[in-house]
Amino acid sequence: MALSWNIRIRRRSWFRFILPIIVLGLLCYGTWAYCHKLCYEQVDKRLRQKSVSVGLICAVCFLDVVVIFIWLQIVILVGPGTQPHVAPFLILPIASEEKTSNTSQNTSVEYDAVVPPKCYQSDPHGYPIWCSECQSLKMERTHHSSELGHCIPRFDHYCMWIGTVIGRDNYRLFVQFAAYFSTLLLIMWVSICVYIRIITQHNHNYSPNLNANIISTLVFAILGWLLTASLLASSIFYMSQNKTSLEAIIDSKRKKFGTRKIFCYYSEANKLRFVVEFDRSEFHSFWDKKSILANIKDFMGSNILMWIIPLGKPYTSRCKSDGKSGSKTTLVEILGPYEETLSDYTIQAIEDKISRGEYLATLRASGDDSDPAY
C-alpha cells in the first residue's frame, strides 16, 4: 500500500513537468521554423528583404531568451515563496483583568507566544486557520500547495503550462511571462499572415507553395497567443480588483452556495476581540484599495519600472523571524513583506457590525494588552 502510494506521488511529481516540456519543445520548434523556413528561406532568399529578415529573427530570438529567463525565475530562481512558520496564538477566555493577566504570565514562559494582528481570518470561535501539513498558522491569502509541499503566500493558482505554483514572489514574473510570450507569438503570427499573401503571389523562380512548417507555426502561434493573451488580460483584471485567481473562484462559490467569511477583530475601544461574519450578500473584495493603480501596485510593486524589467527577487530572504524564538513576537516581524492588509472599507464594515452587535463571539488573546505594533 505504501509502495503504491509512493509510486503515485512520484508519477504526479513527474507528470507536472510533461506539459512544460511540451511547451518548451513547441517554442523551440516554432522559433526554428519561423527563423529558418520563413525569415531566411522566404523573406531573405526569395523576397530579397534581408534587413526585414534580420530584424524579425533578432526580435524573436531576443524574446525567446527573455521568456525562457523569466520561466527559470518563476520555477527555480525565485519560486512562489514560502510562508514563514507562525506559532498558534494564545486565545484566552473572557475573565477579569487580574485573572487574564495571571494567565498570560503563567503561559508566556512555556508558549511561543505570537502577538496576533489586529484582524485575521478565523473560524466561528475566533481561532485562526491552521495548516496540519506545515504545523503552522495559515495567514490571510495563504494556501497549502500539495505540489510543492508547503504554504504559499498569496496563492494565485497552479500553472500547468509553466509547471509550478504562482504566488506572492513570482506573480509579477508570471504577468511579465504572459506579456512577453504573447508579444512574441503576436509578432510571429502577424508577420506570417502578412508574408503568406506576398509569398503565394510571388512566382519568381520558386514554387508558390508554402512550407508545412510555416503553416504549423502559424497555427501554434495563434493558439498560444490566444492562451497567453487571455492569461494576461485575466491577471490584469484580477489585479485591478486586488484579487487572486483562487480568491475569485472561491468568492463565486461562496456567493452561489452561501458559505461564510469570518474575521477576528481587536477593538481598541472595547479591549476585546470580536468574531465577525460576512454572509453571501455582504461579499466584496476584502483587499480592494478602491484604486486600480494601488491594487496593481500591491501585486506588481511600487516601482513601475520593474513592471517591465524581468528580474525577480524572493521575499523570503527578507523575513527575519520564524516565530520559534520562544519570545513574544509580533506577526509583522515574522511575516515581513508577506503581511496582508485588509482594505479600509473592510475594516469599517467590521467596526459597523460590532457597533450594531452583529458578532458571533468575543475573546481575548495573549499580547492584546501589551500595545503591539499592528
Side-chain angles (χ1 to χ4, degrees):
M1 181 68 179
L3 179 61
S4 63
W5 177 252
N6 290 333
I7 291 175
R8 286 200 297 270
I9 292 177
R10 290 175 182 174
R11 285 179 179 175
R12 185 176 182 181
S13 62
W14 279 104
F15 179 76
R16 68 189 182 97
F17 293 108
I18 293 178
L19 272 179
I21 291 174
I22 293 175
V23 173
L24 183 60
L26 289 175
L27 177 62
C28 295
Y29 166 75
T31 301
W32 167 80
Y34 180 84
C35 294
H36 182 71
K37 294 298 182 181
L38 177 70
C39 295
Y40 177 72
E41 291 186 354
Q42 300 292 337
V43 179
D44 183 10
K45 295 300 182 181
R46 183 176 179 184
L47 301 179
R48 306 298 181 184
Q49 298 180 7
K50 189 177 185 65
S51 59
V52 176
S53 174
V54 172
L56 290 174
I57 291 175
C58 290
V60 168
C61 291
F62 171 76
L63 289 173
D64 274 339
V65 173
V66 171
V67 166
I68 294 175
F69 177 61
I70 298 175
W71 198 339
L72 289 175
Q73 292 184 85
I74 292 175
V75 179
I76 300 174
L77 301 180
V78 176
T82 303
Q83 181 197 272
H85 179 273
V86 181
F89 305 147
L90 181 56
I91 305 299
L92 304 175
I94 299 297
S96 63
E97 293 184 2
E98 181 179 357
K99 184 177 180 180
T100 303
S101 176
N102 293 334
T103 304
S104 301
Q105 293 176 1
N106 293 335
T107 55
S108 61
V109 177
E110 302 175 357
Y111 187 80
D112 292 340
V114 176
V115 178
K118 187 172 185 177
C119 185
Y120 59 86
Q121 189 174 345
S122 70
D123 64 11
H125 304 288
Y127 290 93
I129 310 302
W130 177 258
C131 178
S132 58
E133 296 291 334
C134 299
Q135 292 297 297
S136 169
L137 294 183
K138 283 198 301 184
M139 303 316 299
E140 285 72 15
R141 314 184 88 172
T142 295
H143 296 272
H144 186 84
S145 169
S146 58
E147 288 82 7
L148 301 183
H150 57 81
C151 286
I152 307 296
R154 198 179 287 182
F155 187 109
D156 189 84
H157 71 285
Y158 175 80
C159 183
M160 61 181 181
W161 305 104
I162 295 178
T164 192
V165 174
I166 306 303
R168 177 67 181 268
D169 285 10
N170 59 6
Y171 188 87
R172 175 173 62 85
L173 290 169
F174 173 75
V175 175
Q176 292 173 338
F177 176 84
Y180 282 110
F181 209 163
S182 61
T183 302
L184 166 64
L185 297 173
L186 179 65
I187 292 175
M188 292 178 71
W189 74 259
V190 168
S191 58
I192 291 176
C193 289
V194 168
Y195 277 100
I196 278 181
R197 183 178 179 183
I198 299 175
I199 293 170
T200 53
Q201 291 179 349
H202 191 274
N203 189 12
H204 182 67
N205 298 330
Y206 286 90
S207 172
N209 295 328
L210 283 174
N211 188 282
N213 293 297
I214 298 177
I215 302 300
S216 301
T217 302
L218 175 62
V219 174
F220 289 141
I222 292 177
L223 294 177
W225 178 79
L226 291 174
L227 175 62
T228 54
S230 62
L231 285 174
L232 178 62
S234 62
S235 297
I236 294 175
F237 175 73
Y238 289 140
M239 281 193 297
S240 66
Q241 297 183 328
N242 209 310
K243 281 186 178 182
T244 64
S245 302
L246 182 61
E247 287 170 351
I249 295 173
I250 293 176
D251 286 352
S252 63
K253 289 183 177 180
R254 280 175 173 154
K255 291 178 181 179
K256 182 177 180 180
F257 298 107
T259 54
R260 306 172 295 173
K261 194 171 185 68
I262 302 172
F263 293 99
C264 183
Y265 179 79
Y266 178 72
S267 173
E268 297 179 0
N270 299 286
K271 301 298 181 182
L272 285 175
R273 289 188 174 271
F274 294 85
V275 181
V276 178
E277 173 190 8
F278 288 88
D279 60 28
R280 60 186 298 181
S281 63
E282 299 170 309
F283 272 24
H284 61 279
S285 182
F286 294 100
W287 318 98
D288 190 358
K289 305 296 189 295
K290 300 302 179 183
S291 167
I292 294 178
L293 181 59
N295 287 335
I296 294 178
K297 283 184 176 181
D298 200 22
F299 282 82
M300 300 291 289
S302 57
N303 189 350
I304 299 180
L305 183 62
M306 293 303 297
W307 294 7
I308 59 175
I309 298 178
L311 288 174
K313 182 179 180 181
Y315 290 92
T316 308
S317 59
R318 308 179 209 175
C319 300
K320 299 180 180 179
S321 175
D322 62 357
K324 297 180 180 180
S325 60
S327 60
K328 284 192 176 182
T329 310
T330 63
L331 197 62
V332 176
E333 295 172 337
I334 297 174
L335 296 180
Y338 290 137
E339 182 194 14
E340 298 285 356
T341 305
L342 289 170
S343 65
D344 295 336
Y345 176 81
T346 302
I347 296 297
Q348 186 61 48
I350 292 174
E351 292 179 346
D352 290 343
K353 278 180 167 288
I354 294 174
S355 64
R356 296 193 300 266
E358 299 176 3
Y359 51 86
L360 302 178
T362 58
L363 52 95
R364 296 181 188 273
S366 176
D368 282 348
D369 298 329
S370 59
D371 296 327
Y374 292 118

